[in-house]
Amino acid sequence: MCYVCAVISFYMREESDFFYGDEEAMEAVRKFEDSLRSRKSLFLDIVDFESVIDYYINADDYKKAQEAVGAALNIYPNSVEVQVRKAEVLIMGKKFSEALDLLKQLVKFDSSNGEIYLLLGQTSLEMMNADAAKKYFSKAIDLTPTDKSGLYYRIAGLYQYSENYHEALRYLGMAFEMSPESLNIIFDLAYGYEQIDDLDNAELFYNKYLDINPFSSNVWYNLGILYTYKDNLEKAIEAFDFAIAVDPNNSSAYFNKANTLANNESYIAAVSCFKELTKLEPENPKIYCSIGECYEKMKDYDNALKAYRKSISLNPATAEAYYGIGVVMLETKQYNMALDLINKARALDPDNYDFWLGFAKVKYELNNADEAIDAYHQAISLNPEEPDAYLGIAEILLYQNRLDDVELFYNRIALKFPDIPMLKVIRAAALYKSNKPTEALDTLRMAKMIDPLSVTDFLSIVTAEKDIDFLQKVSTL
């Protein structure tokens, strides 16, 4: 089981500044909703109708936005402002061709309306016409003499939505030059840089945000995730602590702090943090699975079993808990019980990579090497980029003295995993057993360059006590 896999990977966004609290606008919304309930016709002036439509657009309520547009057009059929909002609603409903046709008609009547060009750009972006989008956005900017910062920010948001973060960052950069104190702009810059793996700039802008507002639990949380990615676990934990200090109910910060501690093998501290989290989420079975895994790593199997069983009591379908108990059974050499429990986990989650690894290990311990290899191959099919299953196959081939097969297998995957020292150790052991000591030493030397403990691993695999000459050469690597 992998703590990194358990880390919550989403980022907490700051609350939007865009909401409707104006009393007159809300009164118009109330009147409109009363008319819907009573099915009576309603007359509002055009400004009120625009406020009503805008309210539903910002609330992402497509159905009521449609109804509001229809009611407005019944009274003001020639209003460009209402027609523009109709185009927005068509975009909401993903009716991009209709929106594009309408906007192209509208621009003939009001060619100086920057909002129309902005929506033309948005529609073009949705329709994968990036060149047209750029031209329309440029025209919208030319037609907006004031508040260009807000327009840049809106355009950046459209590019963010389409996951074109490089273009989003370009517009955010222009917005930031004009509004360097805008928290929304700063946050989106940090987030955007993170999406393109520019972690240094992401860190810079998260810290700029905190310089202005140090009391944002969400931004402290995001900074903690960033430091986790940068493998700076000390700073990650510190950031999560700040997130918790600002908001003691930030369960995601607790969870990621605990996982970070566990990844740093600080299992006692991790258990303590997970237990704090149970006060916020007492019915969450995954937390108890994580506690069980920490105890398992500490070889405190009694407490591990208690935690895993607590998880199952909260949700009998928690596959990770059955697997955790299975691992404990495997570690305590109760192989048949381990097999039953890991099979239970696989039945609940048949595509879990870790479960297939565990199943393979148990099968090997039960002297079913062929089934173990088949299970490792199944794991590889689920996650071909992880090395564990490949290593499992190589180890079995070595222990079966299929030495030529070890070499063939190594040659097949060596380029895929050039920095896995244990793979080279296994090959070196196979070469030594094949009476190729020189080649074994060369391979072992490469392994030691990656991990100095590789020699110890090698000597735990091969029996070379009587080969004094070879051992002397090993000692000089």
Side-chain angles (χ1 to χ4, degrees):
M1 294 159 74
C2 174
Y3 287 102
V4 173
C5 299
V7 173
I8 295 175
S9 58
F10 64 83
Y11 291 78
M12 294 184 173
R13 303 300 298 267
E14 290 298 278
E15 291 184 4
S16 173
D17 284 344
F18 304 106
F19 65 96
Y20 280 79
D22 180 81
E23 187 55 37
E24 289 183 10
M26 293 309 297
E27 180 60 26
V29 171
R30 282 192 285 272
K31 287 180 180 178
F32 178 72
E33 294 198 346
D34 286 343
S35 75
L36 291 179
R37 282 190 290 271
S38 64
R39 297 186 180 179
K40 292 181 180 178
S41 59
L42 172 71
F43 179 84
L44 292 174
D45 66 38
I46 193 163
V47 174
D48 283 341
F49 260 126
E50 288 171 16
S51 295
V52 170
I53 298 166
D54 289 342
Y55 173 83
Y56 290 124
I57 288 173
N58 282 279
D60 201 26
D61 190 333
Y62 174 63
K63 184 174 183 296
K64 285 188 177 176
Q66 268 188 314
E67 292 174 329
V69 165
L73 287 175
N74 281 336
I75 301 172
Y76 305 104
N78 298 317
S79 166
V80 172
E81 291 81 2
V82 175
Q83 293 282 357
V84 168
R85 284 163 174 80
K86 179 182 178 181
E88 285 191 72
V89 174
L90 287 169
I91 294 169
M92 282 179 69
K94 301 190 182 302
K95 298 178 180 179
F96 303 125
S97 293
E98 289 181 52
L100 191 64
D101 290 343
L102 175 58
L103 290 164
K104 285 182 175 179
Q105 289 298 317
L106 290 173
V107 82
K108 294 176 182 178
F109 293 101
D110 192 356
S111 60
S112 62
N113 189 325
E115 185 70 19
I116 296 174
Y117 284 101
L118 178 66
L119 292 174
L120 279 165
Q122 179 180 356
T123 308
S124 298
L125 206 57
E126 292 281 7
M127 298 177 76
M128 311 297 284
N129 190 340
D131 290 339
K134 280 186 180 181
K135 290 175 184 177
Y136 287 130
F137 288 146
S138 179
K139 185 68 174 177
I141 292 165
D142 290 342
L143 292 171
T144 305
T146 60
D147 192 28
K148 286 188 187 292
S149 173
L151 181 58
Y152 291 143
Y153 184 73
R154 288 179 68 188
I155 295 171
L158 297 174
Y159 279 111
Q160 276 189 324
Y161 181 75
S162 65
E163 298 184 354
N164 185 339
Y165 293 106
H166 289 280
E167 201 64 24
L169 286 166
R170 187 169 74 84
Y171 282 99
L172 285 169
M174 292 188 287
F176 177 71
E177 286 182 10
M178 302 181 74
S179 303
E181 300 295 309
S182 168
L183 292 178
N184 280 329
I185 293 171
I186 293 169
F187 183 90
D188 281 6
L189 276 165
Y191 181 79
Y193 277 119
E194 195 151 3
Q195 298 312 298
I196 64 169
D197 291 326
D198 186 345
L199 301 186
D200 290 338
N201 268 319
E203 179 184 353
L204 173 70
F205 279 99
Y206 279 135
N207 279 310
K208 280 184 184 294
Y209 189 108
L210 292 168
D211 287 341
I212 299 171
N213 175 20
F215 300 105
S216 170
S217 181
N218 292 347
V219 172
W220 280 115
Y221 169 83
N222 284 11
L223 193 56
I225 294 291
L226 179 89
Y227 284 132
T228 301
Y229 286 155
K230 295 184 79 169
D231 205 29
N232 191 333
L233 302 186
E234 185 177 339
K235 279 196 170 185
I237 291 167
E238 183 182 74
F240 292 135
D241 278 336
F242 277 115
I244 292 165
V246 173
D247 178 9
N249 294 317
N250 190 334
S251 58
S252 295
Y254 275 108
F255 192 84
N256 281 279
K257 177 187 173 183
N259 274 314
T260 302
L261 288 165
N263 282 325
N264 201 34
E265 299 184 1
S266 301
Y267 298 119
I268 294 173
V271 167
S272 177
C273 191
F274 278 126
K275 285 183 175 179
E276 286 295 314
L277 181 55
T278 62
K279 297 174 183 177
L280 297 176
E281 299 184 16
E283 303 299 313
N284 188 335
K286 293 190 179 296
I287 299 172
Y288 290 96
C289 275
S290 296
I291 292 171
E293 188 175 353
C294 288
Y295 280 126
E296 174 199 312
K297 297 296 185 184
M298 291 188 285
K299 300 191 183 303
D300 184 348
Y301 296 131
D302 287 341
N303 277 317
L305 291 173
K306 287 177 185 176
Y308 288 134
R309 286 167 181 154
K310 175 66 174 177
S311 177
I312 291 169
S313 73
L314 292 171
N315 181 4
T318 307
E320 293 87 349
Y322 293 105
Y323 179 71
I325 298 174
V327 170
V328 171
M329 296 298 106
L330 175 61
E331 293 293 329
T332 55
K333 303 186 185 307
Q334 300 175 68
Y335 300 126
N336 287 314
M337 290 184 67
L339 184 62
D340 289 343
L341 286 153
I342 292 174
N343 276 335
K344 174 72 172 175
R346 288 195 309 130
L348 291 167
D349 187 0
D351 294 329
N352 188 299
Y353 174 80
D354 288 329
F355 296 176
W356 281 98
L357 289 182
F359 178 70
K361 290 173 184 176
V362 174
K363 280 294 184 180
Y364 184 73
E365 294 295 343
L366 290 170
N367 297 314
N368 293 321
D370 289 342
E371 289 186 50
I373 289 175
D374 288 343
Y376 280 130
H377 279 298
Q378 179 63 30
I380 289 169
S381 72
L382 293 169
N383 195 343
E385 303 308 314
E386 286 293 321
D388 304 272
Y390 297 95
L391 284 170
I393 293 172
E395 286 176 0
I396 291 175
L397 294 175
L398 178 67
Y399 292 135
Q400 289 182 325
N401 281 316
R402 295 164 59 181
L403 305 179
D404 290 341
D405 287 340
V406 172
E407 182 68 12
L408 290 170
F409 190 69
Y410 174 85
N411 290 334
R412 203 180 94 202
I413 63 173
L415 292 177
K416 187 178 184 70
F417 301 109
D419 299 320
I420 304 297
M422 195 60 196
L423 187 60
K424 292 176 171 54
V425 168
I426 292 170
R427 185 202 186 202
L431 288 167
Y432 179 76
K433 287 186 172 187
S434 300
N435 296 315
K436 298 176 181 178
T438 302
E439 293 91 332
L441 286 168
D442 290 341
T443 304
L444 189 56
R445 185 179 292 107
M446 290 190 290
K448 187 181 177 184
M449 290 173 64
I450 302 169
D451 180 2
L453 295 177
S454 294
V455 172
T456 303
D457 292 333
F458 173 82
L459 294 174
S460 71
I461 294 173
V462 302
T463 303
E465 292 88 350
K466 296 180 180 180
D467 194 342
I468 305 301
D469 180 62
F470 180 78
L471 289 177
Q472 286 178 339
K473 292 176 180 177
V474 168
S475 67
T476 62
L477 289 177

